[in-house]
Amino acid sequence: MVFIIITKPYLVLLLFFLSCYTPSALFTPPDNYLISCGASQNITFQGRTFVPDSPHSSLVLKTGNSSSLASPTSTTNQSLSIYQTARVFSGLASYRFKITSPGRHWIRLHFSPIKNSTWNLNSASITVVTDDFVLLNDFSFNNHNGSHIFKEYTVNVTSDLFTLTFIPSNDSVVFVNAIEVVSVPDSLIPDQALALNPSSPFTGLSHLAFETVYRLNMGGPLLTSENDTLGRQWENDAKYLHVNSSVLVVTANPSSIKYTASATQETAPNMVYATADTMGEANVATPNFNVTWVLPVEPEFRYFLRVHFCDVVSHAMNTLVFNLYVNDDLALGSLDLSTLTNGLNVPYFKDFISNASVESPRLLTVSVGPDSQADITNATMNGLEVLKISNEAKSLSGLSSVKSLLPGGSDSNKRTEVMIIGSAVGAFAAVLLVAVCCYCCLAASRKKRSTSPQEGGNGNGNGHPWLPLPLYGLSQTLTKSTASHKSNTASCISLASTHLGRVFMFQEIMDATNKFDESSLLGVGGFGRVYKGTLEDGTKVAVKRGNPRSEQGMAEFRTEIEMLSKLRHRHLVSLIGYCDERSEMILVYEYMANGPLRSHLYGAELPPLSWKQRLEICIGAARGLHYLHTGASQSIIHRDVKTTNILLDENLVAKVADFGLSKTGPSLDQTHVSTAVKGSFGYLDPEYFRRQQLTEKSDVYSFGVVLMEVLCCRPALNPVLPREQVNIAEWAMAWQKKGLLDQIMDSNLTGKVNPASLKKFGETAEKCLAEYGVDRPSMGDVLWNLEYALQLEETSSALMEADDNSTNHIPGIPMAPMEPFDNSMSMMERGGGGGNSGTGTDDDAEDATTSAVFSQLVHPRGR
Ligand SMILES: *[C@@H]1O[C@H](CO)[C@@H](O)[C@H](O)[C@H]1NC(C)=O
Ligand SMILES: *[C@@H]1O[C@H](CO)[C@@H](O)[C@H](O)[C@H]1NC(C)=O
Ligand SMILES: *[C@@H]1O[C@H](CO)[C@@H](O)[C@H](O)[C@H]1NC(C)=O
Ligand SMILES: *[C@@H]1O[C@H](CO)[C@@H](O)[C@H](O)[C@H]1NC(C)=O
Ligand SMILES: *[C@@H]1O[C@H](CO)[C@@H](O)[C@H](O)[C@H]1NC(C)=O
Ligand SMILES: *[C@@H]1O[C@H](CO)[C@@H](O)[C@H](O)[C@H]1NC(C)=O
Ligand SMILES: *[C@@H]1O[C@H](CO)[C@@H](O)[C@H](O)[C@H]1NC(C)=O
Ligand SMILES: *[C@@H]1O[C@H](CO)[C@@H](O)[C@H](O)[C@H]1NC(C)=O
Ligand SMILES: *[C@@H]1O[C@H](CO)[C@@H](O)[C@H](O)[C@H]1NC(C)=O
Ligand SMILES: *[C@@H]1O[C@H](CO)[C@@H](O)[C@H](O)[C@H]1NC(C)=O
Ligand SMILES: *[C@@H]1O[C@H](CO)[C@@H](O)[C@H](O)[C@H]1NC(C)=O
């Protein structure tokens, strides 16, 4: 999850909740945030658990004031309700949510002005905006009767962060009692509906926001979130009937409702369809009138209407035929439900777009009445939803836009100099923040720079004996090494010869992943979901499906991908191609059978790697990074080197993944993120963090963390450990400086590592972790040193086993590795392949809950 540091005097509350949903057989919302603001404990309300808003908020507040407020009655926990606590803000305040699955989300807000002598919440003016839409503008309980209000909105969230900002007016305060941000099934609200008067199709609804103004259960009881799989409320319609006596309620057994593929339990609960209003006896010989509902609305807005029908009235097919009117306009004529649905008790719904009535502009009327052609004079309706549609200003309340409501006006970037600096899981975020802060203080106070002499390397990439690698120089070795995989080889050759990624059709991707079958899901990351797929020719691939982008974003994406697909190296995970049809952002990578390096170190119960295997893997990864830094026409900084981004193929050959993908698309800009420092906690170069200056040496630092992780088999950050052990970089460095690295290394390695090799390895890691970039070796130097450590290890084992090879390698005498690639090739081919079906992606369970920690293509000397 995300946490945010703020450099401007605004208050942001951080949310780090793991989703908590009540399980539903039908739809499980990927995002399900139920937050009880200002509460100190979980509150169960209408069958759902609301968690307190920021248990760690004190960490976050730089400036700005927030207070939690509890009603005096809340001390007796008999009927604790979300309306008994609130959070009161005296300045602009935001809640920011990590969105795992883009698409429509319910935004539900609960307000209740708790009596308190400090603040008069009744007169507080409440303004709430999202990243794009104004939800509520200058609402006050002074002009409202009732002890609480509940507002429901639905917004299509397209980025992976969603911000809800509360704006107080002038010197007043703003408050909120509870917030829900919950995924809506994509199919619930279509992009198109029929507009009335004039009648024409209306498209583009998916870009608009809605506010629920009415949701009526005709003739039925009040249904609350407990009674609806999507947590909606349905109220009885009686008070909106034009003439009370005109209706007669018909009730069926809810279990008799036969849902269809188009009308499911998500469309409306069966309790809605099981009750209906029909025409009552009007004490006239031939009853002929309309049943009309009159709904007060705001004339400035358009409305989305969903009318729910289910023929629970008729005893035979084709007897009930009636008309539906909206504002006197015929919306549906001669409606015969049993023909449309091919049966009785089958739900049916229809969507319309309408303005308020022309005659009485503050009202919207909906009527059903008998059709003159019908055998039976009757009409029915089961449910009605009326949703207000956002206007030109992207507002659901007034004519002000988000920009004009936020201080700073047009310059939205100025408004929030927010840095998203990384990721952490749940409550660990707090510990992480402390760790990072301490780290920075430590770093800042440590004026003296590391003075350990550079040994072995020359500290400067330019003077290094290894020249930058030719762009396609290794495609030959690539094909050679994967000869066992015929189809794979074929695609690699074709790629190498065209030097361009293959453009896949969306259908091909659908076929390869069995329509993105959840069973083939390998992982979920900041970028989106990763599926295992099989191409038509049998090639196994990893398919990354990103969150959709805008048109402009697509062009960038394409350019980037075309560039990335030219990067070929034995130690980089190959991009096979991409698909950008239908604004999809799909990347197809080679499948890595043994998954991320991390799972071979800890957490996955895989057999421990030998020291030699570890060295070979580190060397492979170092080669990949060295190539990124020096091999391409422009230097590429990975930005997110970590053990989950080093993947292993079936022969345990290490390949670096997730390089060069920009995440600063327009979608992120819209969240007002101006400076995004990317990277993962525990791996973040302290210098980069301080100065936001990115160099290749930042990758070197992260790689140093990887080396320590490989040696010690523990996560880079482990917040449950004592303070001095939380951060592997600090902890291992302390032991390394004492020369006691062997004390903390993986117990599986004890006694199986050549001490000279370990020493070299430790020194290399230590240099990588130097405080200042200039003191760190280049990736080339790192590679050289690791090669040397491997030679020391091989020599020692060779000496132990047999004496005949030993003359070639005398321990202690440094030697330049000769023909490193051929050399390593033969070693790699000897490396045994674990048979497990690894995930083949960089995204592991942790990443599933983390923010977009994405490496980015950077031209360090500026574009
Ligand atoms: C609060 O609710 C969440 C989600 O349901 C749960 O994970 C957590 O353990 C609960 N906390 C307490 C103190 O009950
Ligand atoms: C926070 O509260 C203090 C006193 O309660 C007040 O002096 C200060 O101005 C407030 N800060 C903001 C940003 O409202
Ligand atoms: C008003 O709220 C403040 C802060 O939560 C609290 O300390 C105080 O006791 C409340 N006053 C009353 C009368 O409830
Ligand atoms: C009220 O809460 C306290 C602790 O918060 C708990 O010990 C007590 O059992 C609760 N009482 C009821 C009636 O739930
Ligand atoms: C509140 O109630 C009063 C009297 O009961 C009524 O006059 C007024 O119109 C109501 N206001 C609203 C906003 O409903
Ligand atoms: C806030 O201040 C503006 C001018 O500064 C004034 O026009 C407006 O009425 C004030 N609003 C409230 C709710 O006091
Ligand atoms: C949300 O918006 C995106 C792009 O703007 C669109 O592709 C998607 O279909 C929309 N989702 C829904 C549920 O309307
Ligand atoms: C709604 O659900 C609650 C809890 O399951 C139940 O007690 C109540 O009877 C339900 N309401 C209706 C109208 O079915
Ligand atoms: C109809 O009935 C509802 C509730 O039963 C009541 O609130 C409303 O005033 C009635 N309307 C008329 C016109 O009688
Ligand atoms: C409409 O159908 C219902 C249910 O069958 C019935 O009770 C009612 O009398 C009918 N209305 C008219 C006007 O026939
Ligand atoms: C029902 O209302 C529509 C639209 O106002 C009108 O055209 C129609 O004549 C009405 N039907 C009856 C029976 O009053």
Side-chain angles (χ1 to χ4, degrees):
M1 302 234 158
V2 170
F3 78 83
I4 295 146
I5 286 185
I6 254 189
T7 57
K8 278 259 166 162
Y10 303 111
L11 185 151
V12 166
L13 277 181
L14 301 183
L15 299 177
F16 4 71
F17 306 127
L18 297 169
S19 297
C20 43
Y21 39 77
T22 41
S24 146
L26 290 144
F27 175 72
T28 308
D31 297 306
N32 191 9
Y33 295 98
L34 306 179
I35 290 129
S36 178
C37 305
S40 54
Q41 64 187 85
N42 282 356
I43 293 180
T44 301
F45 181 72
Q46 293 182 342
R48 295 176 305 161
T49 301
F50 284 69
V51 299
D53 58 349
S54 179
H56 312 291
S57 63
S58 58
L59 276 177
V60 189
L61 306 179
K62 266 218 151 173
T63 48
N65 293 337
S66 104
S67 313
S68 57
L69 179 58
S71 120
T73 54
S74 71
T75 44
T76 60
N77 49 1
Q78 234 123 32
S79 61
L80 212 53
S81 131
I82 52 172
Y83 293 115
Q84 286 174 325
T85 65
R87 192 166 287 280
V88 182
F89 304 106
S90 63
L92 195 74
S94 297
Y95 284 82
R96 188 160 280 193
F97 300 85
K98 169 83 180 71
I99 299 299
T100 54
S101 174
R104 275 204 181 273
H105 286 66
W106 301 119
I107 315 300
R108 298 188 177 117
L109 305 174
H110 303 259
F111 301 96
S112 175
I114 297 171
K115 284 200 172 46
N116 184 286
S117 47
T118 318
W119 302 288
N120 181 1
L121 297 188
N122 265 312
S123 61
S125 149
I126 304 170
T127 298
V128 186
V129 302
T130 70
D131 301 297
D132 304 310
F133 292 97
V134 178
L135 304 183
L136 204 53
N137 186 359
D138 202 16
F139 172 86
S140 164
F141 274 89
N142 273 347
N143 354 313
H144 180 88
N145 294 332
S147 64
H148 66 261
I149 61 157
F150 163 67
K151 293 279 187 180
E152 181 186 86
Y153 306 90
T154 156
V155 174
N156 185 355
V157 181
T158 49
S159 92
D160 44 18
L161 280 178
F162 175 75
T163 315
L164 209 52
T165 304
F166 292 79
I167 308 172
S169 79
N170 301 359
D171 298 329
S172 177
V173 293
V174 64
F175 71 97
V176 60
N177 298 69
I179 302 173
E180 304 174 33
V181 176
V182 182
S183 300
V184 175
D186 282 341
S187 54
L188 189 73
I189 297 175
D191 187 54
Q192 194 183 59
L194 182 70
L196 299 169
N197 192 17
S199 169
S200 64
F202 182 101
T203 54
L205 290 174
S206 57
H207 303 295
L208 301 173
F210 298 95
E211 176 187 346
T212 309
V213 284
Y214 299 101
R215 186 176 284 132
L216 307 179
N217 178 13
M218 305 311 186
L222 172 73
L223 302 179
T224 65
S225 47
E226 286 172 280
N227 313 96
D228 183 317
T229 51
L230 299 187
R232 293 166 295 197
Q233 280 199 27
W234 303 75
E235 63 169 327
N236 180 269
D237 65 303
K239 65 180 175 203
Y240 304 107
L241 275 171
H242 183 50
V243 182
N244 271 357
S245 57
S246 65
V247 300
L248 198 142
V249 173
V250 175
T251 306
N253 184 345
S255 59
S256 68
I257 303 302
K258 299 171 207 145
Y259 283 111
T260 64
S262 52
T264 66
Q265 194 164 346
E266 267 87 56
T267 314
N270 56 12
M271 293 290 292
V272 170
Y273 289 118
T275 60
D277 279 351
T278 63
M279 290 172 67
E281 311 288 350
N283 294 327
V284 285
T286 51
N288 189 7
F289 60 89
N290 289 328
V291 177
T292 300
W293 293 266
V294 179
L295 307 164
V297 293
E298 289 175 61
E300 304 84 13
F301 289 90
R302 263 194 302 243
Y303 291 85
F304 173 90
L305 281 80
R306 175 163 289 182
V307 194
H308 297 271
F309 299 107
C310 184
D311 189 346
V312 293
V313 178
S314 305
H315 301 290
M317 302 271 286
N318 307 331
T319 51
L320 180 67
V321 182
F322 61 98
N323 298 323
L324 169 76
Y325 306 92
V326 175
N327 292 334
D328 298 340
D329 300 315
L330 183 67
L332 282 172
S334 304
L335 180 63
D336 176 357
L337 293 173
S338 56
T339 303
L340 282 171
T341 61
N342 200 21
L344 301 176
N345 292 8
V346 183
Y348 176 78
F349 68 92
K350 198 81 190 159
D351 299 331
F352 303 97
I353 307 285
S354 176
N355 292 324
S357 150
V358 178
E359 287 87 64
S360 30
R362 306 207 136 263
L363 298 176
L364 183 73
T365 64
V366 179
S367 319
V368 285
D371 188 78
S372 51
Q373 316 291 309
D375 307 340
I376 292 183
T377 306
N378 216 332
T380 184
M381 191 179 331
N382 302 66
L384 173 66
E385 292 175 88
V386 178
L387 312 183
K388 191 200 280 182
I389 303 177
S390 59
N391 61 19
E392 298 296 312
K394 291 193 159 193
S395 170
L396 285 159
S397 178
L399 294 170
S400 307
S401 66
V402 173
K403 265 186 185 173
S404 67
L405 286 170
L406 288 171
S410 53
D411 191 355
S412 62
N413 278 343
K414 207 169 155 190
R415 174 180 89 87
T416 40
E417 285 172 11
V418 171
M419 295 187 296
I420 296 173
I421 54 168
S423 61
V425 176
F428 290 170
V431 185
L432 298 194
L433 185 57
V434 172
V436 169
C437 290
C438 295
Y439 200 97
C440 291
C441 297
L442 209 74
S445 65
R446 205 189 294 164
K447 290 258 164 62
K448 208 183 68 163
R449 287 155 54 152
S450 161
T451 50
S452 71
Q454 290 277 333
E455 186 207 315
N458 18 17
N460 178 348
N462 295 337
H464 198 273
W466 290 359
L467 295 171
L469 305 168
L471 201 49
Y472 310 111
L474 290 170
S475 56
Q476 281 317 101
T477 21
L478 180 79
T479 49
K480 197 168 79 189
S481 70
T482 54
S484 57
H485 273 225
K486 282 218 163 55
S487 50
N488 205 348
T489 311
S491 66
C492 289
I493 290 171
S494 71
L495 275 171
S497 58
T498 61
H499 299 169
L500 274 179
R502 175 173 159 196
V503 182
F504 286 89
M505 289 188 315
F506 188 66
Q507 191 55 48
E508 284 177 83
I509 304 283
M510 293 279 279
D511 294 342
T513 57
N514 196 11
K515 299 203 177 78
F516 299 103
D517 190 351
E518 291 299 304
S519 66
S520 58
L521 192 67
L522 291 173
V524 183
F527 180 80
R529 292 168 161 254
V530 189
Y531 299 85
K532 182 179 174 179
T534 311
L535 299 183
E536 240 179 337
D537 63 2
T539 313
K540 288 214 179 85
V541 291
V543 175
K544 282 199 179 190
R545 187 183 197 188
N547 308 329
R549 283 208 179 183
S550 65
E551 280 310 306
Q552 189 200 347
M554 286 314 296
E556 281 173 24
F557 170 68
R558 217 164 295 164
T559 325
E560 212 164 59
I561 294 313
E562 274 165 19
M563 212 223 73
L564 285 181
S565 53
K566 291 178 194 162
L567 287 173
R568 307 246 136 239
H569 189 274
R570 175 169 154 76
H571 294 290
L572 296 182
V573 174
S574 303
L575 183 72
I576 295 175
Y578 67 99
C579 166
D580 61 2
E581 245 177 76
R582 308 189 197 172
S583 295
E584 287 277 355
M585 197 168 58
I586 294 171
L587 302 174
V588 181
Y589 286 97
E590 68 174 310
Y591 179 71
M592 298 292 287
N594 271 314
L597 167 61
R598 180 195 172 121
S599 51
H600 294 262
L601 298 176
Y602 50 83
E605 255 136 52
L606 296 174
L609 298 167
S610 72
W611 180 240
K612 186 159 164 267
Q613 281 173 321
R614 293 182 205 211
L615 286 172
E616 284 168 353
I617 287 166
C618 291
I619 289 167
R623 283 229 167 89
L625 289 172
H626 178 51
Y627 173 77
L628 282 180
H629 288 177
T630 60
S633 50
Q634 73 240 113
S635 181
I636 292 165
I637 299 173
H638 188 296
R639 298 189 78 173
D640 201 9
V641 177
K642 54 179 176 179
T643 44
T644 46
N645 275 343
I646 296 169
L647 306 185
L648 305 179
D649 74 7
E650 70 276 14
N651 297 320
L652 291 180
V653 172
K655 304 196 182 198
V656 176
D658 261 10
F659 45 88
L661 259 190
S662 165
K663 261 301 255 182
T664 53
S667 63
L668 259 185
D669 288 345
Q670 282 161 16
T671 62
H672 313 297
V673 176
S674 56
T675 321
V677 179
K678 284 168 183 154
S680 298
F681 272 117
Y683 297 90
L684 212 56
D685 171 9
E687 193 173 56
Y688 173 32
F689 188 70
R690 277 197 308 271
R691 297 168 50 195
Q692 299 190 26
Q693 226 173 56
L694 193 71
T695 68
E696 289 95 323
K697 296 296 177 66
S698 303
D699 283 353
V700 174
Y701 182 91
S702 308
F703 191 74
V705 178
V706 168
L707 293 181
M708 290 302 194
E709 227 183 316
V710 164
L711 181 69
C712 305
C713 284
R714 53 150 283 187
L717 274 186
N718 189 351
V720 304
L721 291 173
R723 161 75 198 96
E724 69 280 2
Q725 297 182 23
V726 166
N727 190 324
I728 195 174
E730 275 177 64
W731 177 65
M733 278 290 263
W735 287 89
Q736 161 66 18
K737 290 206 170 113
K738 287 186 269 179
L740 295 173
L741 211 49
D742 57 325
Q743 301 288 303
I744 58 163
M745 75 178 180
D746 182 9
S747 55
N748 289 308
L749 294 175
T750 312
K752 297 176 194 158
V753 176
N754 171 285
S757 174
L758 177 63
K759 183 161 181 281
K760 188 85 219 160
F761 187 90
E763 286 166 357
T764 311
E766 183 183 2
K767 276 183 233 155
C768 291
L769 293 172
E771 197 59 46
Y772 296 90
V774 290
D775 297 331
R776 295 176 206 146
S778 71
M779 221 47 230
D781 293 326
V782 174
L783 188 44
W784 194 94
N785 281 291
L786 290 174
E787 283 278 359
Y788 185 50
L790 179 65
Q791 284 184 358
L792 290 171
E793 173 66 18
E794 286 189 315
T795 311
S796 73
S797 50
L799 277 173
M800 274 189 276
E801 281 161 26
D803 292 335
D804 37 332
N805 310 351
S806 62
T807 45
N808 295 335
H809 309 292
I810 298 156
I813 298 180
M815 48 191 157
M818 302 305 289
E819 301 172 292
F821 293 104
D822 288 353
N823 181 19
S824 81
M825 178 63 57
S826 57
M827 291 190 295
M828 296 301 178
E829 276 162 359
R830 272 185 272 136
N836 82 312
S837 54
T839 65
T841 85
D842 51 303
D843 302 304
D844 61 0
E846 180 185 334
D847 285 347
T849 55
T850 64
S851 73
V853 200
F854 246 65
S855 46
Q856 187 184 13
L857 181 70
V858 172
H859 311 253
R861 281 165 281 280
R863 291 180 198 235

PDB file of all heavy atoms in Angstrom, residues 9-11 63-66 89-92, ligand 2:
ATOM      1  N   PRO A   9       1.585  22.359   3.370  1.00  0.00           N
ATOM      2  CA  PRO A   9       0.750  22.269   4.560  1.00  0.00           C
ATOM      3  C   PRO A   9      -0.648  21.746   4.293  1.00  0.00           C
ATOM      4  O   PRO A   9      -1.625  22.448   4.438  1.00  0.00           O
ATOM      5  CB  PRO A   9       0.718  23.716   5.064  1.00  0.00           C
ATOM      6  CG  PRO A   9       0.954  24.527   3.856  1.00  0.00           C
ATOM      7  CD  PRO A   9       1.838  23.727   2.966  1.00  0.00           C
ATOM      8  N   TYR A  10      -0.730  20.561   3.856  1.00  0.00           N
ATOM      9  CA  TYR A  10      -2.032  19.929   3.743  1.00  0.00           C
ATOM     10  C   TYR A  10      -1.953  18.645   4.504  1.00  0.00           C
ATOM     11  O   TYR A  10      -0.898  18.079   4.716  1.00  0.00           O
ATOM     12  CB  TYR A  10      -2.388  19.635   2.299  1.00  0.00           C
ATOM     13  CG  TYR A  10      -2.352  20.847   1.458  1.00  0.00           C
ATOM     14  CD1 TYR A  10      -1.381  21.004   0.504  1.00  0.00           C
ATOM     15  CD2 TYR A  10      -3.276  21.855   1.680  1.00  0.00           C
ATOM     16  CE1 TYR A  10      -1.325  22.151  -0.247  1.00  0.00           C
ATOM     17  CE2 TYR A  10      -3.218  22.997   0.930  1.00  0.00           C
ATOM     18  CZ  TYR A  10      -2.250  23.148  -0.027  1.00  0.00           C
ATOM     19  OH  TYR A  10      -2.195  24.269  -0.756  1.00  0.00           O
ATOM     20  N   LEU A  11      -3.082  18.200   4.798  1.00  0.00           N
ATOM     21  CA  LEU A  11      -3.121  17.038   5.646  1.00  0.00           C
ATOM     22  C   LEU A  11      -3.597  15.864   4.817  1.00  0.00           C
ATOM     23  O   LEU A  11      -4.599  15.961   4.140  1.00  0.00           O
ATOM     24  CB  LEU A  11      -4.118  17.363   6.745  1.00  0.00           C
ATOM     25  CG  LEU A  11      -4.292  16.376   7.851  1.00  0.00           C
ATOM     26  CD1 LEU A  11      -4.704  17.138   9.064  1.00  0.00           C
ATOM     27  CD2 LEU A  11      -5.324  15.402   7.464  1.00  0.00           C
ATOM     28  N   THR A  63       1.582  19.326   8.868  1.00  0.00           N
ATOM     29  CA  THR A  63       0.865  20.490   9.369  1.00  0.00           C
ATOM     30  C   THR A  63      -0.600  20.217   9.122  1.00  0.00           C
ATOM     31  O   THR A  63      -0.955  19.254   8.489  1.00  0.00           O
ATOM     32  CB  THR A  63       1.274  21.761   8.628  1.00  0.00           C
ATOM     33  OG1 THR A  63       1.232  21.476   7.246  1.00  0.00           O
ATOM     34  CG2 THR A  63       2.644  22.223   9.037  1.00  0.00           C
ATOM     35  N   GLY A  64      -1.414  21.090   9.582  1.00  0.00           N
ATOM     36  CA  GLY A  64      -2.844  20.853   9.411  1.00  0.00           C
ATOM     37  C   GLY A  64      -3.346  20.110  10.622  1.00  0.00           C
ATOM     38  O   GLY A  64      -2.594  19.407  11.290  1.00  0.00           O
ATOM     39  N   ASN A  65      -4.601  20.298  10.948  1.00  0.00           N
ATOM     40  CA  ASN A  65      -5.138  19.729  12.170  1.00  0.00           C
ATOM     41  C   ASN A  65      -6.270  18.770  11.866  1.00  0.00           C
ATOM     42  O   ASN A  65      -7.134  19.073  11.069  1.00  0.00           O
ATOM     43  CB  ASN A  65      -5.687  20.846  13.065  1.00  0.00           C
ATOM     44  CG  ASN A  65      -4.572  21.739  13.566  1.00  0.00           C
ATOM     45  OD1 ASN A  65      -3.422  21.338  13.621  1.00  0.00           O
ATOM     46  ND2 ASN A  65      -4.917  22.958  13.900  1.00  0.00           N
ATOM     47  N   SER A  66      -6.250  17.668  12.506  1.00  0.00           N
ATOM     48  CA  SER A  66      -7.407  16.798  12.436  1.00  0.00           C
ATOM     49  C   SER A  66      -7.702  16.321  13.836  1.00  0.00           C
ATOM     50  O   SER A  66      -6.792  16.167  14.646  1.00  0.00           O
ATOM     51  CB  SER A  66      -7.142  15.611  11.518  1.00  0.00           C
ATOM     52  OG  SER A  66      -6.915  14.461  12.268  1.00  0.00           O
ATOM     53  N   PHE A  89     -11.742  18.132  10.356  1.00  0.00           N
ATOM     54  CA  PHE A  89     -10.536  18.728   9.777  1.00  0.00           C
ATOM     55  C   PHE A  89     -10.669  20.245   9.780  1.00  0.00           C
ATOM     56  O   PHE A  89     -11.703  20.778   9.395  1.00  0.00           O
ATOM     57  CB  PHE A  89     -10.356  18.280   8.328  1.00  0.00           C
ATOM     58  CG  PHE A  89     -10.309  16.804   8.135  1.00  0.00           C
ATOM     59  CD1 PHE A  89     -11.378  16.128   7.585  1.00  0.00           C
ATOM     60  CD2 PHE A  89      -9.184  16.085   8.504  1.00  0.00           C
ATOM     61  CE1 PHE A  89     -11.335  14.765   7.390  1.00  0.00           C
ATOM     62  CE2 PHE A  89      -9.135  14.721   8.314  1.00  0.00           C
ATOM     63  CZ  PHE A  89     -10.206  14.053   7.756  1.00  0.00           C
ATOM     64  N   SER A  90      -9.604  20.899  10.160  1.00  0.00           N
ATOM     65  CA  SER A  90      -9.634  22.354  10.110  1.00  0.00           C
ATOM     66  C   SER A  90      -8.897  22.872   8.880  1.00  0.00           C
ATOM     67  O   SER A  90      -8.720  24.059   8.709  1.00  0.00           O
ATOM     68  CB  SER A  90      -9.010  22.932  11.376  1.00  0.00           C
ATOM     69  OG  SER A  90      -7.659  22.557  11.426  1.00  0.00           O
ATOM     70  N   GLY A  91      -8.446  21.996   8.050  1.00  0.00           N
ATOM     71  CA  GLY A  91      -7.789  22.409   6.804  1.00  0.00           C
ATOM     72  C   GLY A  91      -8.094  21.376   5.753  1.00  0.00           C
ATOM     73  O   GLY A  91      -8.745  20.368   6.018  1.00  0.00           O
ATOM     74  N   LEU A  92      -7.614  21.654   4.561  1.00  0.00           N
ATOM     75  CA  LEU A  92      -7.796  20.720   3.464  1.00  0.00           C
ATOM     76  C   LEU A  92      -7.251  19.351   3.866  1.00  0.00           C
ATOM     77  O   LEU A  92      -6.151  19.272   4.397  1.00  0.00           O
ATOM     78  CB  LEU A  92      -7.017  21.247   2.271  1.00  0.00           C
ATOM     79  CG  LEU A  92      -7.306  20.651   0.915  1.00  0.00           C
ATOM     80  CD1 LEU A  92      -8.640  21.163   0.428  1.00  0.00           C
ATOM     81  CD2 LEU A  92      -6.218  21.034  -0.042  1.00  0.00           C
TER      82      LEU A  92
HETATM   83  C1  LIG B   2      -4.016  23.960  14.249  1.00  0.00           C
HETATM   84  O1  LIG B   2      -4.533  24.248  15.517  1.00  0.00           O
HETATM   85  C2  LIG B   2      -3.824  25.262  16.195  1.00  0.00           C
HETATM   86  C3  LIG B   2      -4.442  25.454  17.556  1.00  0.00           C
HETATM   87  O2  LIG B   2      -5.421  24.546  17.828  1.00  0.00           O
HETATM   88  C4  LIG B   2      -3.883  26.556  15.390  1.00  0.00           C
HETATM   89  O3  LIG B   2      -3.125  27.557  16.023  1.00  0.00           O
HETATM   90  C5  LIG B   2      -3.309  26.303  14.021  1.00  0.00           C
HETATM   91  O4  LIG B   2      -3.461  27.464  13.224  1.00  0.00           O
HETATM   92  C6  LIG B   2      -4.045  25.175  13.359  1.00  0.00           C
HETATM   93  N1  LIG B   2      -3.434  24.892  12.075  1.00  0.00           N
HETATM   94  C7  LIG B   2      -4.132  24.833  10.973  1.00  0.00           C
HETATM   95  C8  LIG B   2      -3.355  24.565   9.722  1.00  0.00           C
HETATM   96  O5  LIG B   2      -5.326  24.942  10.939  1.00  0.00           O
END
